[in-house]
Amino acid sequence: MKLQVAGLEIEATSVGGMETCIEVPSYRLCFDMGRCPPSAARHRWVCITHGHVDHLGGIAYHAALRLLVGSPAATYFVPAEIEDDVHELMDVWRRLDRSSLPARIVGVKPGDRIEVGRDRFVEVFRAYHRVPTVGYALQRGKRKLKAAFVGWSEAEIRAHREAGNEVSERIYPTELAFCGDTTVKVIEKEDLPVSARTLVLECTFLDDPAAAKRADRSGHVHLGAIAEHAERLRDVETLVLSHFSRRYEADEIAEAVARSLPAWLVPRVKLITAEPPWTTKVSEGPRP
């Protein structure tokens, strides 16, 4: 379940309607907590996209595991519309568990930017599901030569720097974006996910004839919609497709991706697929 993408290691579990949890160990955070894999308990930040059970249901267990091993309370970012409900949910679990279950619940909205370590941030963007939903973009600062000095020789740049002039600037590119459950509008309308080096995008339905109607009705993405808007993904180095319906086999998914997506995009795709009894694995995706 481990996946290397654009310099980041991801530990991924995602089965449509069952559970989703995407861990990013180097950031000490994870996206969604449908069920809590034991490894997820080490992460201090949990970014919840929306309130459906297969994306939120594991947070009490996550808090309990951290309490068990003596770790400090984690912070759970949730859409602002459900913040009070999540507080109430945790209070119910505390009464049932007869324990404190320490947890910091923070409501967020599109446009918020959250510090999650030294020079590391999570920026919140809008996603388009049938309940209040947000996506998250991981950003890490790095130095970049100012545009005015592009094309200068190394000696010229060094001399300018030694004269006390600033030749570089701090930028915050998006390393990874996670959309949660959403329709394809997240590709059409949002700039953060399509500017990310790695985009983790749900693809609940493939390209069978009824897929588009099912996707629109349930607030999900189907493979044909990704193909239709593929040009918006030109800057994405790695497209990780996840959250496939349990009705599809791994081979069927790979074949559909190779058949439906543009030839230039197919080599960039990685798949998080499931096999009965819904254990997950990561594959390299189809080859062109």
Side-chain angles (χ1 to χ4, degrees), residues 35-101:
R35 288 191 287 183
C36 181
S39 58
R42 59 187 160 161
H43 304 310
R44 60 181 295 187
W45 290 291
V46 180
C47 299
I48 300 293
T49 58
H50 65 290
H52 283 157
V53 173
D54 57 321
H55 294 260
L56 175 69
I59 66 167
Y61 191 65
H62 184 268
L65 280 179
R66 289 183 64 84
L67 179 63
L68 182 66
V69 300
S71 297
T75 299
Y76 303 91
F77 301 108
V78 303
E81 296 92 331
I82 67 169
E83 180 182 357
D84 291 344
D85 293 330
V86 177
H87 277 293
E88 184 178 348
L89 176 67
M90 292 302 295
D91 285 341
V92 170
W93 272 111
R94 292 181 183 110
R95 293 197 299 270
L96 292 172
D97 200 56
R98 303 294 196 272
S99 68
S100 59
L101 291 182

Side-chain angles (χ1 to χ4, degrees), residues 108-237:
V108 297
K109 60 185 184 302
D112 287 351
R113 195 161 183 253
I114 307 151
E115 186 173 1
V116 290
R118 184 177 180 181
D119 218 20
R120 296 183 176 191
F121 297 88
V122 174
E123 189 163 348
V124 184
F125 59 89
R126 185 181 176 189
Y128 299 83
H129 195 34
R130 57 189 178 86
V131 298
T133 305
V134 296
Y136 298 93
L138 299 186
Q139 301 169 342
R140 178 164 52 187
K142 68 176 185 179
R143 305 297 299 185
K144 180 183 179 181
L145 186 68
K146 288 184 176 179
F149 301 102
V150 173
W152 286 34
S153 70
E154 187 174 323
E156 289 173 323
I157 293 172
R158 182 170 59 251
H160 207 70
R161 184 188 302 113
E162 290 173 352
N165 299 304
E166 185 62 65
V167 299
S168 63
E169 58 187 345
R170 202 74 174 165
I171 63 170
Y172 293 88
T174 296
E175 292 192 298
L176 183 147
F178 177 74
C179 300
D181 286 2
T182 183
T183 68
V184 77
K185 285 182 181 179
V186 79
I187 297 176
E188 295 180 77
K189 297 178 177 295
E190 304 299 321
D191 292 331
L192 278 172
V194 298
S195 67
R197 290 185 67 190
T198 296
L199 172 60
V200 182
L201 178 67
E202 73 123 290
C203 184
T204 304
F205 301 107
L206 298 184
D207 55 354
D208 50 282
K213 290 182 179 180
R214 289 201 301 270
D216 291 343
R217 184 171 59 248
S218 59
H220 290 293
V221 175
H222 65 95
L223 189 58
I226 297 175
E228 182 181 349
H229 297 282
E231 284 300 316
R232 287 277 288 168
L233 301 172
R234 282 283 184 181
D235 293 334
V236 175
E237 293 181 24

